[in-house]
């Protein structure tokens, strides 16, 4: 691969990773709401909790494949696995990269914390609790480098390898 194509690919992957991180809170929220709604609907319709029903069904040998219940459970599980892949990549970066701890806190407070911060100064203040004083430019540099590192971890897989990673997370 020539240098120009490599740079274009890296830029594309960087933006995919940045977009994924920007959507992280929204996806977590969506999964939590979907799980609660599915559980409430199921309990309303059947009078028992979904997990109890599934346990009883499997114990009794019922095959639920192809049912709405099985499809909902599979979708929720797949979504959780996707978030788990992101979480694992962030954790790997934190543990293994020479600046992993700093990068982790920048990514965490920029994209992953439960509630978003309204200003860069708020993010800097939180990151400084773990790193000591940093400038706005340092925050931006660390965030850019952290996203590039995560891109390498997340998108360095071929599609075939990625599916095997998903399968290994059962």
């Amino acid at each position: 691969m020539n240098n120009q194509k490599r740079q274009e690919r890296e830029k594309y992957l960087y933006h995919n990773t940045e977009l994924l991180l920007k959507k992280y809170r929204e996806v977590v929220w969506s999964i939590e709401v979907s799980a609660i709604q599915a559980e409430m609907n199921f309990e309303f319709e059947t009078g028992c909790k979904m997990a109890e029903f599934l346990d009883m069904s499997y114990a009794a040998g019922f095959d639920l494949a192809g049912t709405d219940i099985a499809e909902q459970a599979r979708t929720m599980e797949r979504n959780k696995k996707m978030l788990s892949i992101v979480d694992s990549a962030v954790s790997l970066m934190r543990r293994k990269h020479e600046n992993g701890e700093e990068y982790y806190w920048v990514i965490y407070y920029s994209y992953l914390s439960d509630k978003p911060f309204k200003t860069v100064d708020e993010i800097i203040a939180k990151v400084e609790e773990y790193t000591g004083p940093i400038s706005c430019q340092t925050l931006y540099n660390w965030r850019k480098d952290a996203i590039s590192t995560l891109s390498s971890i997340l998108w360095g897989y071929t599609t075939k390898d990625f599916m095997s990673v998903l399968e290994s997370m059962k």
Side-chain angles (χ1 to χ4, degrees), residues 46-100:
T46 65
C48 72
K49 296 198 178 289
M50 188 183 300
E52 293 170 358
F53 176 80
L54 291 173
D55 288 343
M56 288 186 299
S57 298
Y58 294 135
F62 293 141
D63 181 12
L64 298 174
T67 65
D68 287 343
I69 297 166
E71 185 60 32
Q72 282 181 336
R74 194 169 59 103
T75 298
M76 286 189 286
E77 188 62 31
R78 185 175 53 239
N79 290 341
K80 287 179 185 177
K81 284 181 180 181
M82 293 300 290
L83 285 179
S84 178
I85 289 171
V86 173
D87 293 342
S88 294
V90 171
S91 178
L92 178 65
M93 177 189 68
R94 183 181 189 185
R95 288 189 329 271
K96 300 292 185 176
H97 194 277
E98 64 184 333
N99 297 319

Side-chain angles (χ1 to χ4, degrees), residues 19-128:
L19 179 61
L20 178 64
L21 290 169
K22 285 179 178 178
K23 295 288 187 181
Y24 185 89
R25 285 185 190 102
E26 187 178 316
V27 172
V28 169
W29 171 254
S30 177
I31 288 171
E32 290 175 4
V33 169
S34 294
I36 290 169
Q37 287 175 338
E39 181 66 38
M40 288 172 48
N41 288 340
F42 187 84
E43 193 169 345
F44 178 75
E45 290 179 21
T46 65
C48 72
K49 296 198 178 289
M50 188 183 300
E52 293 170 358
F53 176 80
L54 291 173
D55 288 343
M56 288 186 299
S57 298
Y58 294 135
F62 293 141
D63 181 12
L64 298 174
T67 65
D68 287 343
I69 297 166
E71 185 60 32
Q72 282 181 336
R74 194 169 59 103
T75 298
M76 286 189 286
E77 188 62 31
R78 185 175 53 239
N79 290 341
K80 287 179 185 177
K81 284 181 180 181
M82 293 300 290
L83 285 179
S84 178
I85 289 171
V86 173
D87 293 342
S88 294
V90 171
S91 178
L92 178 65
M93 177 189 68
R94 183 181 189 185
R95 288 189 329 271
K96 300 292 185 176
H97 194 277
E98 64 184 333
N99 297 319
E101 193 67 17
E102 293 86 358
Y103 290 0
Y104 170 79
W105 291 112
V106 168
I107 292 296
Y108 179 78
Y109 287 116
S110 295
Y111 304 107
L112 308 179
S113 60
D114 288 340
K115 293 189 178 187
F117 291 90
K118 291 182 173 57
T119 68
V120 171
D121 289 337
E122 290 176 323
I123 295 171
I124 288 172
K126 292 303 286 183
V127 171
E128 285 179 337

